[in-house]
Amino acid sequence: MAGELMLVLDRRDSSVRLEGRAVRVDTPEGFERVPLGLLGLVVVHGSPTVSCDVWRALAERNVPAVLLPGRGKGPAAWTGAGLSTSVQVRRRQHRAASEPGTRLKLAREMVHLKLAAQRVLAGRLNADPAAFLVTASVTSPDRVLSALDQQLAAVNACPSIPALMGAEGAAASAWYTWLAEWVPAHWRFKGRNRRPPRDPLNGLLSLGYTLAMGETRHVIETTGMDPALGFLHGVVPGRDSLMLDVVEPLRPAVDAFSLGLLDDLLSPQDFHYSNQDGCRLNKDARGLFYRAWAGQRLSWPNLMVDSVNDQMHSDGDQPPPDGQTLASASRRVLHRLRTLLPPLPEGDGDG
């Protein structure tokens, strides 16, 4: 289907160029042609040779790309066609960010959506652990559910962004502590770590979050908002703060995806370790991961709920229906933000 194919370029000995209305990928074994109209995402791992006309064609067709460094060295980068011409929504966004009360309201919404999604996932894990891990050593979710409920209740009372970040951090600590008890010991997961990740699950989480950020940034730009101006995450030079905001409610779905790979598609032997690069998928396993991700991004689990009351009375046994894509899930989060943006003053051309 148009715009749904993910193209992964992860061979140093490959070259990529434009051939008519297709991208041609040449390797020592032969070549492959991928029609531009089918592409929805390009992932570049390492340093294949990609000609300038390919990047220009992708930008013209608004196809996002995620650029991952070889061997995990350095940060990821994201490319796309750039901001849309819908300047009015950006003016409302900048107005909201300049009003402390409005910014706090918008930041609360992102944290609420994330914590509520974590609570839904905890219910799913408890209800059907075999769907995520074959050999899970199941522990009761009562403690993490209680911690998430406590922080969900605290979110609306947080008087400032730092206090809100504290509530989110406390919930994250409780979440990863519970996962460390839940994930089988041979996966060596002791909690969240990164830069570099020191165990397989953290390696999967970091890669999944990075890929989700790439598509989220693309949706932000096409929606007309400024990816650099966030509400929960402050403005930092060189950082896409709104992208970080919007991806927060999507992180639990990446967690679910990553857990589902363990002891099913992947084994601990599919990873290699080094002091400098941390724990990374080996080359063959990367192919397995990307094939699974290609399906995941088109069938994104719906873990988000619309209100605290909905979530506080949910035991996770009847989760919201699935059927969305990663892009549509990102648009759903952005829609929630846009409905909370204040209008421009009357006569100022708001639209």
Side-chain angles (χ1 to χ4, degrees):
M1 189 174 296
E4 292 188 349
L5 185 65
M6 182 177 78
L7 174 62
V8 178
L9 306 171
D10 67 346
R11 292 185 55 165
R12 181 181 301 178
D13 59 359
S14 64
S15 62
V16 188
R17 59 188 173 88
L18 199 64
E19 188 173 84
R21 296 184 178 181
V23 172
R24 173 168 169 149
V25 182
D26 286 278
T27 65
E29 291 79 20
F31 71 92
E32 181 179 3
R33 297 177 75 256
V34 183
L36 284 164
L38 297 181
L39 285 175
L41 175 68
V42 175
V43 178
V44 180
H45 189 104
S47 54
T49 302
V50 184
S51 68
C52 290
D53 58 356
V54 171
W55 296 120
R56 184 168 55 250
L58 294 176
E60 288 173 350
R61 290 160 177 79
N62 209 13
V63 178
V66 180
L67 311 181
L68 300 170
R71 299 175 61 85
K73 296 179 180 178
W78 301 271
T79 70
L83 294 175
S84 78
T85 57
S86 303
V87 69
Q88 298 295 5
V89 70
R90 290 196 292 280
R91 295 178 65 195
R92 292 173 59 199
Q93 177 188 357
H94 282 253
R95 179 181 177 88
S98 69
E99 298 175 353
T102 304
R103 180 189 169 189
L104 180 58
K105 181 179 181 180
L106 291 159
R108 283 172 174 164
E109 184 70 7
M110 295 299 95
V111 176
H112 158 66
L113 287 174
K114 178 184 180 180
L115 270 55
Q118 285 177 328
R119 200 182 190 285
V120 170
L121 178 56
R124 292 194 186 189
L125 293 174
N126 187 57
D128 189 13
F132 295 88
L133 292 172
V134 174
T135 58
S137 177
V138 181
T139 62
S140 171
D142 292 345
R143 188 170 73 256
V144 72
L145 292 178
S146 177
L148 292 172
D149 286 346
Q150 180 180 353
Q151 299 308 324
L152 275 167
V155 163
N156 288 332
C158 285
S160 65
I161 298 295
L164 188 59
M165 295 290 283
E168 188 277 332
S173 177
W175 173 251
Y176 290 120
T177 297
W178 179 66
L179 282 186
E181 299 173 356
W182 197 86
V183 173
H186 59 267
W187 287 102
R188 303 168 58 179
F189 181 75
K190 303 298 182 183
R192 182 72 176 123
N193 58 70
R194 57 197 180 100
R195 297 179 183 173
R198 297 190 294 272
D199 59 81
L201 181 54
N202 271 296
L204 294 175
L205 293 175
S206 292
L207 180 54
Y209 295 154
T210 298
L211 294 174
M213 288 176 191
E215 295 205 53
T216 296
R217 186 181 192 274
H218 172 68
V219 172
I220 289 171
E221 291 176 339
T222 56
T223 301
M225 298 185 74
D226 184 346
L229 185 63
F231 302 104
L232 177 64
H233 296 85
V235 175
V236 174
R239 184 174 80 176
D240 289 328
S241 296
L242 184 62
M243 176 187 71
L244 297 178
D245 282 6
V246 174
V247 86
E248 289 295 337
L250 306 176
R251 288 180 186 269
V254 177
D255 296 354
F257 168 75
S258 301
L259 291 169
L261 301 179
L262 306 184
D263 289 330
D264 184 5
L265 189 68
L266 300 174
S267 72
Q269 289 69 42
D270 290 319
F271 296 79
H272 57 79
Y273 300 80
S274 74
N275 291 332
Q276 182 175 4
D277 301 327
C279 182
R280 306 282 174 180
L281 284 162
N282 62 38
K283 188 171 182 61
D284 290 339
R286 279 208 308 267
L288 297 174
F289 174 90
Y290 283 124
R291 280 192 287 274
W293 182 266
Q296 172 80 354
R297 59 184 289 271
L298 299 180
S299 183
W300 195 256
N302 189 350
L303 300 176
M304 289 185 291
V305 294
D306 291 330
S307 71
V308 173
N309 286 335
D310 287 343
Q311 181 50 41
M312 297 287 275
H313 293 89
S314 171
D315 59 8
D317 290 337
Q318 295 181 338
D322 294 337
Q324 63 183 346
T325 65
L326 171 54
S328 67
S330 299
R331 283 193 292 270
R332 179 180 171 189
V333 177
L334 280 169
H335 176 75
R336 301 271 290 173
L337 281 178
R338 291 182 64 171
T339 59
L340 298 176
L341 293 177
L344 294 174
E346 186 175 353
D348 201 15
D350 187 19

